[in-house]
Amino acid sequence: MSQETGPQPPDETPFLLPEISPQEAHGTGEPVSAAFGGTKPLIPTRDRIRETMQWATVAGAAYMILIGIAIAMRGGVAGDILTASFNVLPIALIGFLAYLGTKRQWAMVLACLWFGMMVLAVLSIPPAIAVTLAAIAATVKDQPGAPAHVVAFTTPFGIVQLMLLVIWSVLGLIAAIAPLIPSVRSWVAQQLPLDDQSPVNAFALSLVCCFTVVGLGQLIGTGGRPVLLTVIQARPELVKELMEQNLLAAMVYGLGWTILGVMLVVGFPVVRSAPEALVRLGLVRPTLRQVLGGLLLAGAMVGVVTALDPVITMVWKFFGWPMTDSKAFSQLLAPAMTPLGAVILGVTAGVGEELMIRGALQPRLGMVLPNLCFTGLHAFQYGFDGLLVVFLIGMVLAVVRARTNTTTAAVVHGSYDFILVMISVLTGKH
């Protein structure tokens, strides 16, 4: 991998790789591809391909063994670990196959097929939500105290509203196809640090656009009421089931898979070693100043959001817009509403989400588009009042990533989440 000759910034010391360009460490570019002014394209050598195939064979065999153990045990720890992998590994496999496909045509064919399956899976979300809400509404419509907005889905207007959710699948399909058109991708590359000739970048742009449209669209389609909270409101007995599940362990398992997944997405082990992948993600050792600054910034963000919340509430009530049900949201996260839960939620959400959004995507797709995707992914548990805060927080984290590194952004994000949960725990507002 080629490297620039400029001196290493004093506040950017990678964990494992002592020499790396400022662009990679800061996330403003990656001068290892000829498309970005480098001298060596990201093309794997024969030795790297051979090593990759050996690694993939071993990893694939281990994963199959894990599946077998999970099936045999019918759940348990092995089943929980396997289930956690489904959140990120299927998407990461696209990047792995696409990188491998630069030397192996069969791998690129598999990448395209798997990519198509993942897009179809995302597009199935709005119809699945429509069916779920219709079934729940039919179940609770005759029960006393059933939420009015849930019962409304049994009316002719409500049924039509649910049917119209399919429109967002169509729009999501358009959003997924458009970035695959060379002329569209070429135009986007003029606006963003994107390699329009890279299949990995094309897949990433397509999936991000699709996730964003479907995520935000389904919330519009349900009238601004997030589906997860609607389910909790209509079926309060599910809270007990949530409390019986080991949500905290699932968060830890998910973080492990997320770290592996994002490393695959940025080219490990096909074109990058593990240390190089970590640096590409911006996971570098922060300075004391960055850590302290991140902690102070997180505290300031909590103060600003606390002050902003009444203003948002006033505006939403003035226009009569539906707001996020704070009680249902707290019930959704009830297993994490403890001091230990605050720590685990802060670490897993801070590190995991920052690696995905600010670490892997931002250096290629800029600050705004990944943050819109980040916001859309939260649209299943937040209404638009909550999403406004999520977007603003995400933009702050994007600036932190651009000016420092992903590690510092994770410190800010994790500390922010930790403080919010601890406030809820100490005040009893959960």
Side-chain angles (χ1 to χ4, degrees), residues 303-321 323 384-386 388-389 392:
V304 171
V305 169
T306 302
L308 188 61
D309 185 63
V311 178
I312 295 176
T313 299
M314 182 179 64
V315 172
W316 253 248
K317 287 184 176 180
F318 178 80
F319 287 101
W321 296 333
M323 298 187 61
F384 283 107
D385 56 324
L388 174 60
V389 175
L392 294 175

Side-chain angles (χ1 to χ4, degrees), residues 62 162 205 375:
L162 292 179
L205 180 61
T375 304

Side-chain angles (χ1 to χ4, degrees), residues 9-13 284-293 404-405 407-408:
D11 59 342
E12 298 295 342
T13 306
V284 299
R285 185 188 306 123
T287 64
L288 179 61
R289 182 182 64 181
Q290 290 173 340
V291 172
L292 294 178
T404 57
N405 46 61
T407 310
T408 305

Side-chain angles (χ1 to χ4, degrees), residues 11-31:
D11 59 342
E12 298 295 342
T13 306
F15 282 121
L16 300 173
L17 195 63
E19 296 180 3
I20 194 69
S21 65
Q23 287 88 341
E24 281 196 305
H26 284 279
T28 56
E30 183 180 4

Side-chain angles (χ1 to χ4, degrees), residues 155-407:
T155 65
F157 177 80
I159 294 173
V160 172
Q161 181 183 6
L162 292 179
M163 292 176 63
L164 290 178
L165 273 170
V166 179
I167 292 177
W168 293 103
S169 293
V170 176
L171 295 177
L173 178 61
I174 295 173
I177 292 176
L180 302 180
I181 301 173
S183 58
V184 173
R185 201 162 61 252
S186 177
W187 177 83
V188 173
Q190 296 175 15
Q191 323 301 322
L192 302 173
L194 182 79
D195 182 355
D196 61 339
Q197 301 301 314
S198 166
V200 179
N201 286 194
F203 290 147
L205 180 61
S206 175
L207 284 172
V208 165
C209 291
C210 184
F211 269 120
T212 303
V213 170
V214 169
L216 296 176
Q218 60 81 29
L219 184 59
I220 296 174
T222 57
R225 292 183 171 87
V227 60
L228 292 180
L229 300 192
T230 297
V231 171
I232 293 294
Q233 292 167 336
R235 299 279 305 278
E237 67 273 12
L238 292 178
V239 176
K240 182 179 179 180
E241 296 181 18
L242 283 173
M243 292 297 294
E244 293 175 351
Q245 297 179 5
N246 198 344
L247 179 62
L248 299 184
M251 290 179 179
V252 175
Y253 302 149
L255 177 60
W257 287 112
T258 298
I259 293 173
L260 173 60
V262 294
M263 289 182 67
L264 293 176
V265 165
V266 299
F268 170 79
V270 184
V271 297
R272 288 188 176 90
S273 65
E276 291 168 339
L278 291 175
V279 174
R280 159 60 179 84
L281 291 168
L283 193 61
V284 299
R285 185 188 306 123
T287 64
L288 179 61
R289 182 182 64 181
Q290 290 173 340
V291 172
L292 294 178
L295 294 174
L296 290 174
L297 179 58
M301 287 163 52
V302 170
V304 171
V305 169
T306 302
L308 188 61
D309 185 63
V311 178
I312 295 176
T313 299
M314 182 179 64
V315 172
W316 253 248
K317 287 184 176 180
F318 178 80
F319 287 101
W321 296 333
M323 298 187 61
T324 303
D325 186 333
S326 57
K327 179 180 178 181
F329 181 78
S330 296
Q331 291 175 325
L332 182 66
L333 292 181
M337 292 298 172
T338 64
L340 176 61
V343 173
I344 293 178
L345 180 64
V347 173
T348 55
V351 176
E353 293 180 0
E354 291 311 302
L355 279 178
M356 286 190 293
I357 304 299
R358 256 64 67 171
L361 296 177
Q362 182 170 314
R364 288 293 165 272
L365 305 181
M367 293 194 294
V368 177
L369 185 55
N371 194 41
L372 283 173
C373 182
F374 173 72
T375 304
L377 292 175
H378 285 79
F380 300 93
Q381 68 261 34
Y382 287 106
F384 283 107
D385 56 324
L387 292 185
L388 174 60
V389 175
V390 170
F391 180 80
L392 294 175
I393 293 297
M395 288 305 300
V396 173
L397 294 170
V399 172
V400 171
R401 161 60 165 133
R403 296 189 176 183
T404 57
N405 46 61
T406 304
T407 310

Side-chain angles (χ1 to χ4, degrees), residues 76-90:
V77 175
D80 292 342
I81 293 174
L82 176 63
T83 302
S85 73
F86 297 157
N87 292 331
V88 64
L89 211 56

